[in-house]
Amino acid sequence: MLQALRWPRSADPGHFALKSAARAAIVMPCVFAFATYVIDNPQTSQYAAFGSFAMLVLADFGGARRPRIGAYLLLTVAGAVLIVLGTLCSRDPWLAAGAMAVVGFAILFSGVINGYFAAGATAAMLTFILPVTLAADASVIPDRLVGWALAAGAGIVAHMVLWPSRPPDRLRAGVASAARALADLVAATVADDAEDVIVERAQTADEAIDAVRRSFLATPYRPTGPTDTAEALAMLVDELAWFRSFVLPATTEDPAPRVAVVEALRASATTLDGGRDRPDLDALEAIRATVTRRLEHRVGELAPVDDEAELLPALDGSFRLLALLRSASEIGRNALLATGAAPAGPTTTLHATEQVAAEHASPRSLWFRNSVRGAAALAVSVLVAQESGLQHSFWVVLGTLSVLRSSALGTGATIVSALVGTSVGIVVGALVVIAIGTDTGVLWAVLPVAVLLAAYAPRVMSFGAGQAGFTLVLLVLFNILQPVGWSVGLVRVEDVAIGFAISLAFGLLFWPRGASSLIRNSLAAAYEAAADHVRATVELLVGSGSPSDVEVASRAASAAARRLDAAFRQYLAERSAPRADLAGVGTLVAGTARLRRTALTLDSMPLISRVTPRACAGSRALEDDMRALHRWYERLGTALRAGADPPPPSQRDGTDAQVRLVQEARDAVAADDPVGIRYAFALLWAGRHLDNLWRLQPRLVDPATALGSGRGPSADPGPATTDGTWLPPPPRHPAAPASPASSRSSTSSA
């Protein structure tokens, strides 16, 4: 139990946590004192105190200055509305419980839309829990709003003026570092450096990409939402691994294209770091067109060869270079979007918000499950608190909120930590109160220290330490308002214990296995949807599909990928998952990303999108190849969902599609048919990407077999592969990045 209060292994880099805690320790007592002695209204004082804690501790938003101010202002408006609504519903227990269910679900589910919504959920919830559990008539609403306005105004000013600098955006900095490492690796191949130098730089690049993936997965929510900026940052994480898969082996062709790739990557890294250098996307497009023309000439010059082993390697360097140029262009474009250096797309924020919400409005989504579970538990807590007439009954609801997690096991573990922390806080607080007695002046002197500990402990120590600090703050606050000694701590223990029991009960009733029960279904849906997306793009190319089919498949694949991302993050956070199992699941998750990235590349390549389908032997061969590939990935999804053994890696048909595609391209060049040449090369490009998906199959069989049998992989899958198929899981207790909002759990002190 004492581990719940242990000091962290890592310190507080930059002392950002200490500065934030000190800010709360300075401002909160001042706001509370002003409300207590100047306004002299108990309702105003109470809401000023708890509102200050919500604004200064629970809602510590990150990111740039302007979006931070916008987030705080939105929280201020939302809090005022929730205070009014909670007060109006507070006099009827059943109405209060029903309102809590609706508001609780809306607040919890809104976190899927934007990282700021997720980071501010607990603060917003607090502004509703207090008024809905403390029954009062409408006449107290103005007094409560005054207290909240004082807290919100002082909190926003303090955030913007008092130590306004924020922790560095670790994810964006990591992406920039990985881009530079990849640029150094490509530069080494251009300079024809020694093999050991190239191997060393390849290892550095792999480590940088792995670090980015760990940082990305360490956040409790994906930094995506209805903004191009957030989505672009998430896309960069996948694009880096995709780029890495095409770097080696190096080619001996004209080095100019690779030099342009190096310059674009370094400019993208500078852009991400806040510099003024910008990647020249037009230059990359021009070079890619030149490389495509050279590839056309090379195919025409090839002598007739029937053996694929001799024919395809002659073209491999050009295809690899085209892929590098395309991926470098995507990295540059997303870097510009992620930093706001490029204008946002035409999609409106409202439409994108509706789309993201619709994607998760299903029991297959972990966000939906957690929101339903949380709303139901909070509603019952409000009903129990109202009907039982407990003193300070809002602690029943806060106790439920603070320990409710995604699984019964996680909730139970958090309850132990919370009880230990609360008990320690009561013991320490009781000793302080007994030593001080009823001396209000000394209590005021102790309050800033207590707030400092309550704000700092959960950031650098543990959840239990935060509970202990918060309990100490409460003892001091209530003894200032109404001196009753240390007994107020025992009251809190009684109330929160009821809340903990409700939380545990709903953890057992609603999807008790948490993400572990959802991960197989999420993986299956992601593989099936991504395979459908690949099929739709190829069918459009060969003339058997339509653009609307591609659009529908793309949306479905995107939705499945987001649901899998949420389930995988929670799966990583659940302590019951063994590390070997995490590695196997990580392999499968990365496989879905590779499948979807292939579809997106085919969908966006000018080489493919600017051609008119025509019936030929090459298109028929490509369609047959695609259908066989689609069947395998569809069967893999079915096996994952059923917990059965996956299909063995498929053997391609006797007629080799790649040889036919190359022959089609050579015939078109020989006939000097510009339209035929363009179409043949589109087929050939698509075939090369499908070939990569064929080679991916054997790497997925063992992890899928282990997951289906309910055990981890029989052996360590080894280091990350150069194509990003496997990415190691993050540390058990990672330091989360700070973008786009505060990375720490906002419920740590509730």
Side-chain angles (χ1 to χ4, degrees), residues 363 368-370 372-373 406-408 506-515 517:
F368 181 84
R369 290 187 177 190
N370 287 345
V372 169
R373 181 195 296 110
S406 73
S407 68
F506 276 85
L508 292 170
L509 289 174
F510 288 78
W511 303 289
R513 293 181 58 197
S517 66

Side-chain angles (χ1 to χ4, degrees), residues 168 246 275 337 349 363 461 565 597 626 634 645 651 694 701 709:
F246 296 107
L337 286 172
T349 299
M461 294 180 66
D565 181 88
R597 178 59 60 185
M626 176 272 299
E634 194 174 47
D645 289 338
Q651 298 296 324
W694 282 102
V701 172
S709 64

